[in-house]
């Protein structure tokens, strides 16, 4: 695959929390694989479409409990590919049939093993090849870090411009930590493109948040939970330092607004506060803070132990959600006294699937040459830091050359 000039598409997308295409203006050949990363909560798909000039990588996700819908989607992609390939111009020697492509599904994550028989049974004629989950995560992350401009960013609500992009890769890529937040959390120390160690993790991850919110709120999906948390006020649920001291605890550097005990106001004097009705948005925000703060502190402790300054957060848990990103950033900045950086990615949830996709063939690239987008920085200015990601998603400027792909003429594989 030729990734020279690869960039993030800025064409308008309708659905919230959807992941933008990657434009590959110099990829002229068909790419004959689809990749799927099946985790405990979500299944993520990466696939390629070819246009008149170049092509695109597309990203899709399904709840794992709806794995049949995910497989049906892959089946339809393959049918569409067959249709487009049958319409390819035939060679000058008309006796030769159109060139056919080997169809391969690269599968990673725990579901690559759990659902392997189901995948092979529903995809006859397709080679289903399993790939190691952690290998794929690192391969995908390194691709986004080194090849996609304006992919990596920091987030700080206290900054007038909360979202700051890393327009180009710094000279010192390694070592770094990858904190991959899926149903649970894995923390990897990466020292080279193919050298890494799982140094830690926690079972309190996205599955924890999803499970507790399902028990305690009326939300029916993860995205609904995130949207609900925006209007919530965790102070109605959490016990703050100010609730205990009446003011800041300055000797320890704890502001009155710091959470002393998550859900600490639900119990009073040993008895549950049953006379008070707790609102779902307040519960949602408290849970989001609780899980995010815990992950942020564990990430910091591992970064300190392994002397790492750069911490990448990946996984579908984040969803580009301002509250989540700001909580993780604050935790890293607070505990490290500003010495470490929390780094986020616009394709955070598809690292594993992208890595699996890239495992099929080596990629051709001009190292760190963001030739189609060096002079453009997405405008993330806003007076409302909570809406900064939406501002980014509404940017209708292509980070590519003037040869914009025609979406209507894209063909699968």
């Amino acid at each position: 695959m030729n990734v020279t000039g690869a960039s993030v598409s800025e064409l308008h997308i309708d659905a919230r929390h959807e992941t933008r295409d990657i434009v590959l203006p110099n990829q002229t050949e068909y790419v004959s694989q689809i990749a799927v990363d099946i985790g405990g909560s979500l299944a993520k798909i990466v696939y390629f479409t070819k246009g008149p000039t170049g092509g695109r990588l597309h990203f899709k996700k399904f709840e794992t409990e709806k794995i049949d819908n995910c497989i049906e989607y892959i089946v339809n992609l393959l049918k569409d590919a067959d249709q487009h390939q049958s319409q390819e111009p035939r060679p000058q020697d008309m006796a030769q049939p159109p060139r056919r492509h080997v169809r391969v599904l690269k599968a990673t994550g725990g579901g690559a093993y759990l659902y392997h028989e189901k995948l092979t049974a529903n995809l006859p004629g397709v080679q289903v090849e399993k790939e190691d989950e952690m290998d794929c995560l690192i391969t995908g992350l390194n691709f986004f870090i080194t090849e996609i401009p304006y992919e990596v960013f920091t987030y700080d609500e206290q900054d007038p411009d909360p979202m700051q992009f890393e327009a180009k890769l710094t000279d010192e890529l390694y070592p770094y930590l990858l904190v991959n937040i899926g149903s649970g959390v894995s923390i990897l120390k990466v020292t080279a493109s193919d050298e890494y160690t799982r140094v830690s993790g926690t079972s309190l991850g996205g599955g924890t948040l999803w499970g507790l919110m399902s028990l305690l709120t009326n939300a029916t999906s993860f995205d609904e939970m995130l949207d609900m948390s925006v209007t919530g006020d965790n102070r109605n649920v959490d016990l703050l330092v100010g609730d205990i001291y009446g003011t800041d605890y300055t000797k320890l550097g704890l502001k009155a607004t710091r959470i002393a005990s998550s859900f600490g106001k639900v119990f009073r004097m040993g008895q549950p506060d049953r006379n008070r009705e707790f609102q779902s948005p307040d519960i949602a925000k408290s849970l989001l803070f609780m899980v995010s703060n815990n992950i942020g502190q564990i990430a910091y402790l591992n970064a300190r132990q392994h002397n790492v300054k750069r911490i990448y957060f990946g996984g579908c848990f984040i969803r580009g959600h301002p509250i989540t990103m700001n909580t993780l950033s604050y935790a890293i900045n607070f505990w490290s006294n500003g010495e470490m950086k929390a780094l986020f990615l616009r394709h955070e949830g598809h690292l594993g699937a992208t890595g699996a996709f890239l495992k099929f063939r080596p990629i051709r690239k001009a190292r760190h040459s963001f030739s189609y987008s060096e002079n453009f920085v997405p405008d993330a200015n806003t007076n409302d830091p909570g809406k900064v990601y939406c501002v980014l998603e509404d940017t209708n400027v292509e980070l590519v050359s003037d040869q914009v792909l025609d979406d209507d003429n894209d063909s699968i594989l």
Side-chain angles (χ1 to χ4, degrees):
M1 221 174 62
N2 187 339
V3 299
T4 304
S7 57
V8 181
S9 172
E10 297 299 336
L11 293 178
H12 180 72
I13 54 178
D14 295 327
R16 293 196 62 186
H17 305 302
E18 286 299 321
T19 305
R20 291 184 176 276
D21 299 346
I22 296 291
V23 180
L24 302 170
N26 294 296
Q27 176 61 31
T28 58
E29 300 177 4
Y30 281 106
V31 178
S32 57
Q33 77 270 18
I34 297 173
V36 60
D37 175 10
I38 308 176
S41 301
L42 295 172
K44 290 76 66 177
I45 299 174
V46 174
Y47 63 96
F48 176 81
T49 65
K50 189 175 181 299
T53 56
R56 290 174 181 263
L57 284 182
H58 300 269
F59 306 88
K60 185 76 174 176
K61 63 179 180 290
F62 293 86
E63 294 180 12
T64 301
E65 65 179 21
K66 300 177 181 178
I67 190 64
D68 290 336
N69 292 345
C70 176
I71 294 175
E72 182 182 1
Y73 189 85
I74 295 173
V75 169
N76 289 331
L77 288 178
L78 293 168
K79 288 180 180 178
D80 192 67
D82 288 342
Q83 180 181 357
H84 282 289
Q85 288 182 33
S86 66
Q87 297 171 356
E88 287 186 55
R90 297 184 66 175
Q92 292 182 352
D93 181 359
M94 297 300 291
Q96 297 182 14
R99 181 166 62 95
R100 306 300 293 171
H101 303 278
V102 177
R103 301 194 300 179
V104 174
L105 177 69
K106 287 288 188 180
T108 190
Y113 299 85
L114 182 62
Y115 297 108
H116 186 262
E117 291 186 5
K118 180 184 281 283
L119 290 168
T120 54
N122 286 275
L123 300 170
V126 177
Q127 297 178 16
V128 180
E129 301 177 355
K130 299 187 291 291
E131 295 288 343
D132 181 79
E133 180 178 2
M134 299 306 164
D135 283 348
C136 290
L137 283 172
I138 301 306
T139 299
L141 177 56
N142 284 336
F143 167 75
F144 285 116
I145 293 174
T146 61
E147 302 305 331
I148 308 301
Y150 307 110
E151 170 71 26
V152 178
F153 61 93
T154 59
Y155 189 87
D156 181 2
E157 282 189 357
Q158 302 305 312
D159 195 303
D161 186 4
M163 181 177 286
Q164 295 288 335
F165 284 91
E166 291 201 333
K168 283 192 176 183
L169 179 72
T170 60
D171 292 334
E172 297 181 1
L173 173 58
Y174 306 105
Y176 65 77
L177 284 190
L178 168 59
V179 181
N180 193 63
I181 313 172
S183 299
V185 182
S186 285
I187 301 179
L188 308 177
K189 179 184 178 182
V190 184
T191 53
S193 60
D194 57 354
E195 295 179 4
Y196 65 88
T197 305
R198 187 182 188 275
V199 295
S200 186
T202 173
S203 62
L204 303 182
T208 307
L209 181 65
W210 196 335
L212 290 175
M213 283 196 178
S214 296
L215 286 173
L216 300 176
T217 75
N218 55 8
T220 59
S221 71
F222 197 87
D223 289 335
E224 185 179 347
M225 296 171 193
L226 293 180
D227 292 340
M228 181 184 294
S229 69
V230 174
T231 61
D233 187 346
N234 71 298
R235 295 174 298 181
N236 294 327
V237 178
D238 296 337
L239 188 67
L240 309 183
V241 170
D243 295 322
I244 300 173
Y245 283 86
T247 184
D248 298 342
Y249 190 171
T250 53
K251 184 176 181 179
L252 295 184
L254 298 176
K255 295 181 179 179
T257 54
R258 288 282 294 174
I259 299 173
S261 175
S262 296
F263 282 79
K265 286 182 180 173
V266 176
F267 253 69
R268 290 286 187 166
M269 300 299 292
Q271 295 295 325
D273 191 349
R274 301 190 187 280
N275 296 323
R276 182 177 176 186
E277 182 179 351
F278 294 95
Q279 302 298 315
S280 289
D282 300 342
I283 294 171
K285 179 164 283 188
S286 175
L287 285 171
L288 185 59
F289 280 158
M290 181 180 72
V291 175
S292 299
N293 273 319
N294 183 65
I295 294 171
Q297 185 171 16
I298 292 173
Y300 156 74
L301 292 171
N302 279 276
R304 178 181 178 183
Q305 180 180 6
H306 295 279
N307 194 29
V308 174
K309 303 296 184 184
R310 297 170 65 83
I311 307 172
Y312 292 93
F313 288 92
C316 281
F317 171 81
I318 301 171
R319 296 282 217 287
H321 194 253
I323 296 174
T324 308
M325 293 188 296
N326 194 68
T327 303
L328 292 169
S329 293
Y330 183 87
I332 297 300
N333 184 70
F334 176 83
W335 292 109
S336 72
N337 292 319
E339 294 181 0
M340 299 175 186
K341 296 174 67 175
L343 299 165
F344 304 97
L345 301 106
R346 297 175 71 182
H347 294 81
E348 72 238 325
H350 291 81
L351 303 184
T354 302
F357 184 90
L358 296 172
K359 290 283 186 180
F360 185 65
R361 289 179 179 175
I363 59 176
R364 298 194 301 274
K365 54 192 176 183
R367 199 68 174 169
H368 317 328
S369 59
F370 303 148
S371 55
Y372 284 79
S373 54
E374 289 178 331
N375 297 321
F376 179 83
V377 179
D379 182 11
N381 291 317
T382 176
N383 293 324
D384 184 354
K387 295 182 179 179
V388 66
Y389 202 81
C390 297
V391 170
L392 175 64
E393 295 305 290
D394 287 339
T395 304
N396 285 317
V397 180
E398 280 286 337
L399 299 180
V400 292
S401 67
D402 293 334
Q403 296 179 321
V404 179
L405 300 177
D406 183 355
D407 285 334
D408 293 334
N409 293 324
D410 280 0
S411 58
I412 307 295
L413 298 184

